[in-house]
Amino acid sequence: ETEFMGLTFHVEPGVLIPRADTEILVEKALEWMKPGARVLDIGTGSGAIAVSLAKLGRQAQVTAADVSDRALEIARQNAKRNGAAVEFVKSDCFSALKGRKYDMIVSNPPYISEDEMRGLMPEVTREPELALFGGADGLDFYRAVIKNYSSALAPRGYLCFEFGMGQDAAVCDLLRRAGYEIAELKKDTADITRAVLARKREEG
């Protein structure tokens, strides 16, 4: 068991252990969410982000997606134990939930690059590779979410990402080139920029 956002979560091999850095993403999302917001969490893992948003948000309608059946099972258990109403869907960063619109999309995608994977600490290598490896430069999943899910955002909707140390400029560049405005960047307790909230520009 582990604590996250004041809630208790069950974790086991197959899901990433939620960390304090990710609480920064959740706190910012909660600040910017409107009451009753439709929210999508991509790559939910243990369900920490989705369950926290559903439990602590103001009547948020939360959907959580993951490609792993085991992760979805664990996330469902965590939603139940915390009394959070979350819809769970099997999907990955490369496929869109067709016909749906969300006011906010949140994700802590895999962001460790090929070079960084080789030098990981032993305690990190015990985490599932699926939740860590983000391609050669660590940005594959950011590109995939921006490309495949931007159409699922409502006008002026928000796309919220956590990212690794030193990736803020690259992630913000991807967002701007895709037509987003950077609403806010957030640093962690070590003064490292860890999260971004970007607003979808209105067409025209």
Side-chain angles (χ1 to χ4, degrees), residues 3-151:
E3 296 293 318
F4 182 84
M5 293 297 295
L7 304 173
T8 302
F9 289 86
H10 170 76
V11 292
E12 62 182 64
V15 297
L16 191 71
I17 300 171
R19 288 173 167 79
D21 290 340
T22 305
E23 291 189 350
I24 293 164
L25 176 67
V26 173
E27 289 166 357
K28 283 287 108 183
L30 288 168
E31 283 183 27
W32 287 79
M33 277 167 48
K34 294 179 180 179
R38 299 161 297 175
V39 183
L40 172 63
D41 172 28
I42 300 175
T44 197
S46 68
I49 292 174
V51 170
S52 297
L53 293 176
K55 186 71 175 177
L56 305 174
R58 294 170 290 174
Q59 294 83 49
Q61 303 171 51
V62 181
T63 300
D66 204 288
V67 71
S68 165
D69 290 320
R70 185 58 187 150
L72 287 170
E73 183 179 338
I74 294 167
R76 286 190 185 96
Q77 293 173 12
N78 283 322
K80 183 177 181 180
R81 76 183 297 172
N82 284 289
V86 179
E87 176 194 22
F88 292 98
V89 178
K90 185 173 183 179
S91 181
D92 62 20
C93 295
F94 298 92
S95 49
L97 298 167
K98 294 181 179 179
R100 299 196 182 195
K101 288 289 182 182
Y102 298 94
D103 302 300
M104 180 178 284
I105 295 175
V106 182
S107 185
N108 176 22
Y111 55 66
I112 297 178
S113 70
E114 198 170 293
D115 287 342
E116 290 170 328
M117 284 292 288
R118 299 191 188 101
L120 290 178
M121 299 291 285
E123 63 268 22
V124 180
T125 60
R126 289 195 289 269
E127 300 278 22
E129 185 173 322
L130 184 66
L132 298 176
F133 184 51
D137 63 357
L139 301 175
D140 282 2
F141 289 90
Y142 298 93
R143 296 186 185 98
V145 171
I146 292 169
K147 177 182 178 181
N148 295 308
Y149 283 89
S150 289
S151 61

Side-chain angles (χ1 to χ4, degrees), residues 139 142-143 146 169-180:
L139 301 175
Y142 298 93
R143 296 186 185 98
I146 292 169
V171 172
C172 287
D173 183 57
L174 290 174
L175 287 163
R176 290 190 182 100
R177 285 194 279 129
Y180 287 84

